[in-house]
């Protein structure tokens, strides 16, 4: 892409933040984001909810409030109308929960179903959260469990299993409440864990903030069978993430197993917020997240002065 310089553009293509940020008026920024994918779950209503929660998440990762959305939809002509209306109903329900409006959209005909949303949000200038605000000696909190990519096949094969239901519930849960709670604290940097996996999104924060991050493997919140399924369902996304981000990571040799690598690089759908916060405030924020029902939240690591590797896993 040619590089565009425009004083209205606060964060654009060049930064690896969650969304584009544009000057709206004296007090507020406009936040734009877009996300879409092919169905990962064979219940169309649930897939619509997942795709919608996933697309809305980048607004919350910037500290913003959802404003309006447009549907992005494509499907083969032979698909039953009912399937499409169920996808749209699932997405609509999540946008309503986000206090947003679906204002329209665009549909084309293709070989596969694709669904997603473009989303606008806004944020008061002082409340904008980016990847670049972390300092050394802070804590990292992750608000959802890891393993949605690893579970992708299992949730379609074994949907009534309680852990599969937990994965689905996690993916359709908006990051809205976690975002609202974090605003009560001095939070330095925020992103959401999605396609680049935990390590990829940690790398973005480390790189943008010029810090190193140490992650403690045994503190990571995992679904019940994330570890067991990690070796059974390796996916292309985790391999791509490893080849892209692996050079920035040093994994302690005692825990450098294929299962751990698969977990660390597994692409997440509608993953949790990754919040960087002062040491002194971390426990209090964690307790408040737990009290508000965000039980999966854990302190997973800390920042440090930048050394030769962006990420260390111990
Ligand atoms: Co994001
Ligand atoms: Co995104």
């Amino acid at each position: 892409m040619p590089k565009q310089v425009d004083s209205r553009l606060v964060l654009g293509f060049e930064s690896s933040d969650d969304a584009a940020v544009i000057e709206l008026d004296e007090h507020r920024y406009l936040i734009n984001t877009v996300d879409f994918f092919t169905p990962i779950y064979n219940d169309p209503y649930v897939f619509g909810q997942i795709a919608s929660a996933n697309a809305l998440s980048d607004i919350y990762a910037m500290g913003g409030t959802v404003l309006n959305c447009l549907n992005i939809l494509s499907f083969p002509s032979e698909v039953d109308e009912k399937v499409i209306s169920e996808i749209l109903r699932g997405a609509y329900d999540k946008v309503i929960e986000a206090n947003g409006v679906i204002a329209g959209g665009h549909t084309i005909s293709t070989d596969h179903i694709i669904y997603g949303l473009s989303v606008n949000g806004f944020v008061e200038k002082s409340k904008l959260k980016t990847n670049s605000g972390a300092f050394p000696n802070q804590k990292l909190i992750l608000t959802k469990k890891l393993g949605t990519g690893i579970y992708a096949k299992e949730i379609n094969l074994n949907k009534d299993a309680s852990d599969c239901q937990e994965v689905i519930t996690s993916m359709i849960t908006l990051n809205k409440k976690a975002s609202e709670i974090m605003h009560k604290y001095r939070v330095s940097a925020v992103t959401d864990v999605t396609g680049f996996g935990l390590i990829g999104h940690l790398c973005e924060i480390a790189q943008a903030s010029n810090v190193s991050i140490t992650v403690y493997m045994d503190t990571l919140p995992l679904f019940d069978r994330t570890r067991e399924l990690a070796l059974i369902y390796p996916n292309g996304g985790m391999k791509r993430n490893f080849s892209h981000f692996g050079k920035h990571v040093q994994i302690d040799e005692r825990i450098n197993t294929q299962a751990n690598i698969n977990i660390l690089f597994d692409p997440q759908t509608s993953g949790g917020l990754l919040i960087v916060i002062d040491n002194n405030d971390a426990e209090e924020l964690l307790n408040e997240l737990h009290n508000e029902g965000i039980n999966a939240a854990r302190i997973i690591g800390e920042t440090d002065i930048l050394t030769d590797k962006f990420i260390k896993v111990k």
Side-chain angles (χ1 to χ4, degrees), residues 15 17 31 40 72 74 76 85 131 136 138 143 148 152 181 184 218 237 240 245-246 274 287 302 308:
S15 95
D17 255 294
I31 307 170
I40 54 166
I72 295 160
S74 81
S85 66
N131 288 339
Q138 293 189 302
T143 66
T148 65
I181 295 168
K184 299 189 196 170
D218 61 2
R240 275 194 298 280
F245 296 106
L274 193 55
N287 286 336
E302 61 222 6
D308 55 325

Side-chain angles (χ1 to χ4, degrees), residues 1-4 12-14:
M1 279 253 303
K3 184 176 171 163
Q4 190 178 1
F13 189 72
E14 301 278 305

Side-chain angles (χ1 to χ4, degrees), residues 37-48 50 87 151-160 164-165 168 171-172:
F37 41 68
T38 54
I40 54 166
Y41 189 59
N42 56 22
D43 176 326
Y45 175 69
V46 174
F47 168 63
I50 294 170
I87 293 174
Y151 265 89
K153 288 202 178 83
E154 186 69 12
I155 58 173
N156 283 302
L157 292 171
N158 206 358
K159 64 174 71 172
D160 294 327
C164 290
Q165 285 298 315
I168 292 162
M171 287 192 289
I172 65 176

Side-chain angles (χ1 to χ4, degrees), residues 194-214:
T194 52
F196 296 151
L198 177 66
I199 293 291
H201 293 283
L202 285 169
C203 274
E204 290 185 332
I205 288 182
Q207 204 154 12
S209 301
N210 263 310
V211 295
S212 282
I213 293 172
T214 301

Side-chain angles (χ1 to χ4, degrees), residues 167-232:
V167 175
I168 292 162
T169 302
S170 175
M171 287 192 289
I172 65 176
T173 300
L174 296 180
N175 283 323
K176 181 172 187 280
K177 196 193 268 182
S179 179
E180 286 164 0
I181 295 168
M182 86 185 176
H183 276 306
K184 299 189 196 170
Y185 298 81
R186 276 177 306 138
V187 162
S188 300
V190 181
T191 191
D192 57 341
V193 180
T194 52
F196 296 151
L198 177 66
I199 293 291
H201 293 283
L202 285 169
C203 274
E204 290 185 332
I205 288 182
Q207 204 154 12
S209 301
N210 263 310
V211 295
S212 282
I213 293 172
T214 301
V215 175
Y216 298 100
M217 194 72 212
D218 61 2
T219 65
L220 296 182
L222 305 178
F223 296 108
D224 288 354
R225 285 184 295 151
T226 293
R227 178 166 295 283
E228 179 189 331
L229 298 176
L231 293 174
I232 301 174

Side-chain angles (χ1 to χ4, degrees), residues 7 29 35 41-42 67 84 91 95 99 111-112 116-118 120 128 132 139 153 155 169-170 173 237 241 253 288:
S7 60
Y29 294 126
D35 225 315
Y41 189 59
N42 56 22
L67 195 57
I84 302 306
V95 172
N99 285 322
D111 295 345
H112 300 280
L117 290 164
S118 75
N120 289 319
L128 180 71
S132 61
K139 289 275 192 282
K153 288 202 178 83
I155 58 173
T169 302
S170 175
T173 300
N241 287 339
E253 60 184 28
E288 184 160 357

